[in-house]
Amino acid sequence: MVQESTRKSETGDEGGYAQEFLTFTLGPEEYAIDILKVQEIRGYEQPTTIANVPDFIKGVINLRGIIVPIVDLRIKFGVGKAEYTPFTVVIILSISGRVVGIVVDGVSDVTSLRSEQIRPAPEFAASVDTRYIKGLGTLDERMLIVVDIERLMLSAEMALMDEAAATAA
Amino acid sequence: MAIDMSQFYQVFFEETAEHLATMENLLLTLDVGNPDSEQLNAIFRAAHSIKGSSGTFGFTDLAEVTHILENLLDRIRKGETTLREDMIDAFLDAGDVLKNLLAAHQGDGEADRAAAEAICQRLHALTEGGGAAATSPAAVPPAPTFAAPIPATSEAGFDLRYIIDGDTAQAAAANDNLLAELAEQGEVRVVARPETADQPWQVQVVGASDIEVLRELLEFVARNDSIRITPLGQAETGAGGSPDGAYGFFDEAVVPDVAADDAYGFFDTLPPVPEEKVEDDAFGFFEPLPVVQEAPAQPTASEENDAYGFFAPLPDKLAEPARSEPDRSEAAPAASAPAAAVRDKPAGQESRRAAAPAAKPGSDTTIRVGVDKVDQLINLVGELVITQAMLAQSAAHVDPVEFERLHNGLIQLERNTRDLQEAVMSIRMMPMSVVFSRFPRVVRDISQKLGKQVELKLSGESTELDKGLIERITDPLTHLVRNSLDHGIEPPEVRAAKGKQPVGTITLSAYHQSGNIVIEVGDDGAGLPREKILAKAKERGLNVHDQMSDQEVFQLIFEAGFSTADQITDVSGRGVGMDVVKKNITAMGGRVDIDSMAGVGTRMTVRLPLTLAILDGMSVAVGKETYIIPLGYVIESLQADRSMMKSVSGVEKLIQVRDDYLPVVTLHEIFGVPDAVRSYENGIMIILETDGIKAALFVDAMVGQHQVVIKSLESNYRKVPGIAGATIMGDGRVALILDVSMLVGMARHALPAAA
């Protein structure tokens, strides 16, 4: 999880539109999501489990008075081992007015990627539908999987909202 | 002067709805034979305000209906027409039409133009038929109120300038009407005709005495910001061009301009007026007059318009500013621009004190706040309470002697948080009168329709209830009242034959009882027919027997589709509704009980929790999980022993509790909880009842009983089968609240024969 300091590229320095991403790790893989969707980052605490839900939904926690569902992305993506250590991190996302937490192995950095640094992801079979992958970013020899987190979280397969609400969203 | 009026629409909608409600209440309490002039005036004022503001905001349909309504009211008020019962009906219907129009403007439903047209005709007919003067309705001046007490001065006249609203074709017709109406006021001389629709008309009205009347006539057709009225022979002054003609007079008092009725339009163009100046112009104006002392000393002048009769001997110019001031104070709350508030308020308040001491002072003691803001506040305070509890828990481990100050501080904190929580919760509380106020109307309408004589008695209107509950209790209560009216109260002949008073009584009362609010709907009617209900239940194949208690029998009327009515009326009797009533009340965490005695009456008692946000719950443990069961559903709990468990087709799924066989719902199986108690003897059976069905819920242990704050799972997640919501426990963890109806339903579907 050790990261060299990422070069903070100034917005628009070499042309192209730079966007900030929060990068995190799931097992050996590195992912990036739009930082504007991130509300906060906190340690993992045992959520209250909910019966008869998919295994990647760990339950709900109390986030200052609101009930927030917790999704373990490692289970959802089938990456790494779903272990809960004192270093396990929950990223609280704010998506379309809803608050959702995702469990990841660790948060790496905030990094700027210009649009030309993101290559379209090729079609390939993975446990996560490539529809939710915006592209693959390259940064200092590392490959960042840029996830369209909003689309993923609102998708029916995440089962995070009622059918009616999902179609309305 | 184009300003976006839509930002004020919400205020207008709310205010108009309030005025309509006031009007309806007053109409219902009005004594037809001997109407109280104070009440008539209040009704008139309400109509007048609606007309004024709807005109201002361009809701012409509302303005038209209220205009005619106001005419008739005014005649009654002044004693030109005697009040009759059919007029009250017409007024009430007009109120309904206005509500409908208002709703349509808010985007809720379609405006019923035909109804609006019909009510206008009806009011016209009443105005003409009942009125002494044979004025054609169209030409009736909208507010002759003010004109009447003021003798017309022969030389007086006004110079009018205005731009007709709407497109050219409409404008021409509208202007013709306007000129005809103006002709009623005095001799009309057209000074300048506009070439295009954007240019103003200039008209002189010679002999007109009342600027207010002229202004109102103009407001109906002309663009509000375009109206200029100046006394004849006086150059047009007034930088901003106040649409409120009254302020033309301030010009004489060397005041540049003052906020007028249409406070919204011209603040942007007005030069800033120093604050003191406003007070000056309101009062400096009176100073040189000998009557100034008398104005406040007129306590009976509670009605704003009547007050001005007082000014009648004065030249009408003096009366004008005073008359218009209440208007201004009405406009003040609507004007949200800070400039408006600063400038408007002192004058508005002063004028109210001087001219209309009884005017409603409520406008500046309340603020409108969005419910979501209040809810957020409640949420945050709830958090604070939890944090405080956590702090107290941690501090319990430290030495109380060494950390005395810390302990004292924490005790203080606890007290303050509790007070704060109570205060915040009380924001959401509303008095029951909000709900009760609609019933006089309901009772009146239905009893008329059914040919019954009914008196409605209300008590406990000040009992407070959570706003959310208030909104949801209205429909069930209405249904109960309708039911009492239709099935309970007998027709007068029948009552007389039974030796009862021909006038039946329906009692609505609300009071607090041990953390609940109790609402009773009582009638002194025929009572529920036990035998008939039983017979009907048997006919429908329900599981009943003759030994059932009255309570149980009466609960049968809450079964879906159950009706003992011999004939279906349009009020009730279809058997739809009582089940919905019960369902709605249960959904609110409440319950309904029925007491009835044949020939004496029926009493329906609705018990509700004080707030939707808090629930009395019993916490139970299953494995490592804690669940909350709403206490209202819990009947008893017991420890099962071997002999009580009965099996069907080899599976132990029934428990014998005294004479009943109840299906067992095993919570750890439904929720797949690991490490739970498996054998029935080692756990606890909690007997639950919902919708008249009982079931036993098997859990590991009972933990305790507490009040829990209900949190929605759906706001961030989704509906989960078997779970009604979530709450946060004292240690900050989330506990799930069970959906008892669903769980019992699961048991029932699994074992249809047993249930």
Side-chain angles (χ1 to χ4, degrees):
Chain A
M1 239 189 308
V2 183
Q3 292 296 322
E4 288 83 32
S5 65
T6 316
R7 182 172 55 93
K8 298 253 190 268
S9 57
E10 300 299 313
T11 318
D13 53 353
E14 291 155 40
Y17 173 70
Q19 204 184 348
E20 297 223 300
F21 291 90
L22 179 78
T23 61
F24 57 84
T25 53
L26 296 181
E29 299 173 2
E30 229 182 316
Y31 289 82
I33 54 173
D34 182 359
I35 191 119
L36 296 177
K37 307 290 176 207
V38 177
Q39 179 183 316
E40 62 185 273
I41 298 166
R42 50 191 281 133
Y44 181 81
E45 56 177 296
Q46 178 65 43
T48 300
T49 53
I50 297 175
N52 311 322
V53 293
D55 57 354
F56 56 82
I57 293 179
K58 299 304 294 177
V60 287
I61 61 160
N62 161 28
L63 182 75
R64 293 185 298 280
I66 54 172
I67 308 289
V68 177
I70 300 296
V71 176
D72 196 329
L73 270 195
R74 299 171 298 186
I75 302 173
K76 173 66 193 162
F77 287 0
V79 185
K81 274 179 283 187
E83 285 170 335
Y84 302 96
T85 68
F87 306 106
T88 308
V89 170
V90 176
I91 304 173
I92 306 290
L93 305 168
S94 176
I95 288 165
S96 306
R98 288 167 161 261
V99 184
V100 182
I102 53 173
V103 183
V104 299
D105 278 326
V107 170
S108 325
D109 211 337
V110 177
T111 179
S112 263
L113 287 178
R114 286 189 310 280
S115 47
E116 74 264 15
Q117 284 176 284
I118 303 172
R119 302 260 166 256
E123 290 286 331
F124 58 93
S127 63
V128 53
D129 196 314
T130 47
R131 270 184 302 160
Y132 307 120
I133 296 181
K134 265 187 190 165
L136 301 172
T138 330
L139 198 71
D140 308 337
E141 308 295 303
R142 293 183 289 143
M143 184 187 80
L144 296 175
I145 304 161
V146 183
V147 180
D148 187 345
I149 196 73
E150 176 156 10
R151 197 161 167 200
L152 175 66
M153 287 297 155
L154 296 179
S155 68
E157 66 183 272
M158 292 304 282
L160 276 169
M161 48 169 66
D162 291 316
E163 296 298 320
T167 47
Chain B
M1 202 91 66
I3 190 163
D4 182 16
M5 294 285 261
S6 61
Q7 55 181 312
F8 301 113
Y9 282 178
Q10 196 49 42
V11 180
F12 165 74
F13 290 143
E14 286 174 19
E15 282 190 353
T16 306
E18 272 172 25
H19 284 310
L20 281 172
T22 320
M23 213 165 84
E24 186 174 305
N25 281 338
L26 288 164
L27 282 170
L28 289 167
T29 49
L30 207 56
D31 178 3
V32 180
N34 182 22
D36 180 17
S37 68
E38 187 57 38
Q39 283 185 328
L40 282 176
N41 284 327
I43 297 169
F44 175 81
R45 264 202 308 273
H48 183 68
S49 309
I50 297 171
K51 190 185 84 174
S53 45
S54 41
T56 308
F57 283 95
F59 296 121
T60 42
D61 46 356
L62 280 166
E64 272 165 33
V65 177
T66 21
H67 172 58
I68 302 164
L69 180 69
E70 194 190 9
N71 281 345
L72 183 52
L73 278 168
D74 187 46
R75 287 170 157 274
I76 296 167
R77 197 168 73 107
K78 288 192 296 186
E80 288 171 18
T81 303
T82 17
L83 182 67
R84 291 195 312 264
E85 190 67 39
D86 59 336
M87 290 184 183
I88 301 232
D89 288 337
F91 289 151
L92 287 173
D93 290 344
D96 290 345
V97 167
L98 289 173
K99 276 182 206 158
N100 168 273
L101 292 175
L102 196 63
H105 282 305
Q106 283 175 281
D108 181 13
E110 282 284 305
D112 191 349
R113 301 273 164 216
E117 201 55 45
I119 199 72
C120 287
Q121 295 296 337
R122 207 164 132 200
L123 290 168
H124 264 154
L126 284 169
T127 316
E128 284 186 357
T135 358
S136 94
V140 171
T145 336
F146 308 122
I150 299 160
T153 42
S154 59
E155 288 309 315
F158 295 95
D159 202 339
L160 316 179
R161 231 170 221 260
Y162 56 90
I163 300 171
I164 297 284
D165 209 359
D167 61 50
T168 335
Q170 280 178 331
N175 195 53
D176 289 342
N177 279 337
L178 176 69
L179 292 179
E181 287 191 14
L182 288 174
E184 297 258 337
Q185 301 298 318
E187 192 191 326
V188 176
R189 295 179 202 148
V190 177
V191 179
R193 285 177 182 276
E195 310 275 284
T196 69
D198 290 332
Q199 286 173 356
W201 279 79
Q202 277 187 40
V203 177
Q204 286 182 354
V205 184
V206 181
S209 58
D210 198 322
I211 195 165
E212 199 72 26
V213 173
L214 296 178
R215 186 172 64 82
E216 293 206 36
L217 287 172
L218 289 178
E219 271 182 359
F220 260 94
V221 286
R223 289 217 311 258
N224 271 330
D225 55 352
S226 71
I227 302 170
R228 308 270 189 286
I229 305 177
T230 37
L232 215 53
Q234 194 178 316
E236 199 200 343
T237 48
S242 130
D244 189 332
Y247 300 96
F249 289 107
F250 288 125
D251 295 340
E252 291 172 32
V254 205
V255 176
D257 210 329
V258 198
D261 245 358
D262 183 9
Y264 323 111
F266 48 89
F267 286 122
D268 40 2
T269 55
L270 268 183
V273 180
E275 219 181 302
E276 316 87 81
K277 204 146 188 188
V278 175
E279 277 181 33
D280 274 348
D281 48 49
F283 295 96
F285 200 84
F286 290 104
E287 249 168 64
L289 298 170
V291 283
V292 70
Q293 285 310 313
E294 285 173 78
Q298 177 86 349
T300 51
S302 51
E303 202 282 297
E304 50 179 295
N305 299 318
D306 274 2
Y308 308 105
F310 180 72
F311 291 108
L314 297 172
D316 58 7
K317 285 173 180 182
L318 296 176
E320 292 301 341
R323 198 177 304 142
S324 58
E325 273 160 12
D327 280 351
R328 185 164 18 139
S329 61
E330 275 166 32
S336 63
V342 170
R343 213 175 306 160
D344 240 19
K345 219 176 167 186
Q349 280 174 342
E350 294 293 345
S351 71
R352 196 180 299 145
R353 211 179 305 149
K360 206 174 105 209
S363 53
D364 47 4
T365 55
T366 57
I367 46 167
R368 288 180 207 279
V369 181
V371 177
D372 49 341
K373 281 190 185 172
V374 175
D375 286 347
Q376 196 188 356
L377 199 59
I378 290 175
N379 251 340
L380 290 172
V381 170
E383 276 312 289
L384 186 64
V385 171
I386 292 168
T387 316
Q388 178 269 321
M390 285 197 291
L391 271 179
Q393 220 165 20
S394 326
H397 303 299
V398 301
D399 181 8
V401 182
E402 199 177 338
F403 295 97
E404 194 193 339
R405 281 165 60 86
L406 175 69
H407 273 267
N408 288 344
L410 282 172
I411 291 167
Q412 182 88 30
L413 177 68
E414 186 186 345
R415 206 175 304 136
N416 291 346
T417 27
R418 209 186 307 129
D419 289 352
L420 181 64
Q421 192 182 24
E422 269 175 31
V424 167
M425 292 302 269
S426 74
I427 298 177
R428 270 190 69 102
M429 296 303 218
M430 290 173 82
M432 272 309 283
S433 56
V434 179
V435 180
F436 281 3
S437 60
R438 62 181 283 156
F439 288 113
R441 177 76 193 275
V442 170
V443 170
R444 186 180 186 277
D445 285 1
I446 298 176
S447 56
Q448 256 177 16
K449 203 183 280 176
L450 296 170
K452 294 179 180 177
Q453 294 172 18
V454 183
E455 188 193 348
L456 178 70
K457 284 184 181 164
L458 299 174
S459 72
E461 292 112 309
S462 59
T463 315
E464 287 194 323
L465 190 60
D466 187 275
K467 182 181 158 64
L469 285 173
I470 288 264
E471 280 161 4
R472 290 167 62 182
I473 195 62
T474 311
D475 283 348
L477 270 189
T478 312
H479 201 88
L480 290 179
V481 170
R482 289 165 75 104
N483 218 58
S484 282
L485 277 165
D486 197 18
H487 303 308
I489 305 284
E490 312 95 325
E493 318 81 79
V494 180
R495 290 183 68 90
K498 283 186 183 170
K500 288 185 184 176
Q501 291 280 329
V503 179
T505 310
I506 288 192
T507 332
L508 263 176
S509 58
Y511 54 89
H512 287 293
Q513 192 183 60
S514 60
N516 282 326
I517 183 162
V518 182
I519 305 165
E520 286 180 358
V521 181
D523 66 65
D524 63 347
L528 289 175
R530 180 191 157 98
E531 297 311 319
K532 209 164 162 185
I533 295 172
L534 265 181
K536 192 86 181 179
K538 281 177 188 158
E539 190 186 306
R540 284 175 45 97
L542 294 173
N543 181 18
V544 291
H545 51 87
D546 291 338
Q547 277 71 48
M548 280 164 79
S549 71
D550 281 357
Q551 278 281 340
E552 283 175 296
V553 173
F554 297 150
Q555 287 288 329
L556 289 172
I557 67 168
F558 292 121
E559 291 289 324
F562 197 94
S563 175
T564 57
D566 301 320
Q567 62 179 67
I568 289 169
T569 65
D570 59 348
V571 179
S572 57
R574 283 174 210 281
V576 192
M578 285 307 260
D579 58 324
V580 180
V581 168
K582 169 119 182 189
K583 210 174 179 182
N584 287 351
I585 291 173
T586 315
M588 282 182 261
R591 63 170 205 267
V592 204
D593 293 319
I594 306 176
D595 295 304
S596 182
M597 200 183 255
V600 176
T602 308
R603 187 177 61 211
M604 310 260 184
T605 312
V606 178
R607 268 169 234 276
L608 290 174
L610 274 185
T611 147
L612 268 186
I614 290 182
L615 171 123
D616 263 319
M618 175 182 278
S619 52
V620 296
V622 180
K624 284 187 192 132
E625 306 292 334
T626 305
Y627 295 100
I628 309 286
I629 304 171
L631 207 56
Y633 295 104
V634 178
I635 294 178
E636 61 177 326
S637 62
L638 47 92
Q639 187 137 32
D641 73 46
R642 201 62 264 158
S643 63
M644 292 163 85
M645 304 309 300
K646 308 289 172 194
S647 65
V648 174
S649 60
V651 188
E652 278 183 343
K653 273 292 186 189
L654 287 184
I655 180 169
Q656 185 181 11
V657 180
R658 291 176 282 278
D659 291 340
D660 284 342
Y661 290 98
L662 304 178
V664 175
V665 182
T666 315
L667 205 55
H668 71 82
E669 275 178 16
I670 292 176
F671 286 163
V673 183
D675 312 322
V677 174
R678 300 273 155 203
S679 76
Y680 288 134
E681 295 98 273
N682 297 336
I684 294 279
M685 288 288 180
I686 296 174
I687 313 296
L688 305 171
E689 180 177 358
T690 164
D691 306 330
I693 303 150
K694 288 184 188 173
L697 186 74
F698 178 69
V699 297
D700 290 9
M702 283 180 9
V703 179
Q705 195 179 317
H706 9 215
Q707 289 208 321
V708 298
V709 180
I710 304 172
K711 304 271 179 180
S712 163
L713 259 188
E714 280 140 89
S715 57
N716 289 317
Y717 187 48
R718 57 186 295 168
K719 181 113 192 71
V720 179
I723 302 292
T727 188
I728 294 161
M729 304 297 282
D731 60 0
R733 285 185 46 87
V734 179
L736 300 174
I737 300 168
L738 300 181
D739 182 346
V740 173
S741 311
M742 198 164 219
L743 290 174
V744 172
M746 284 179 190
R748 201 164 146 216
H749 292 306
L751 279 172

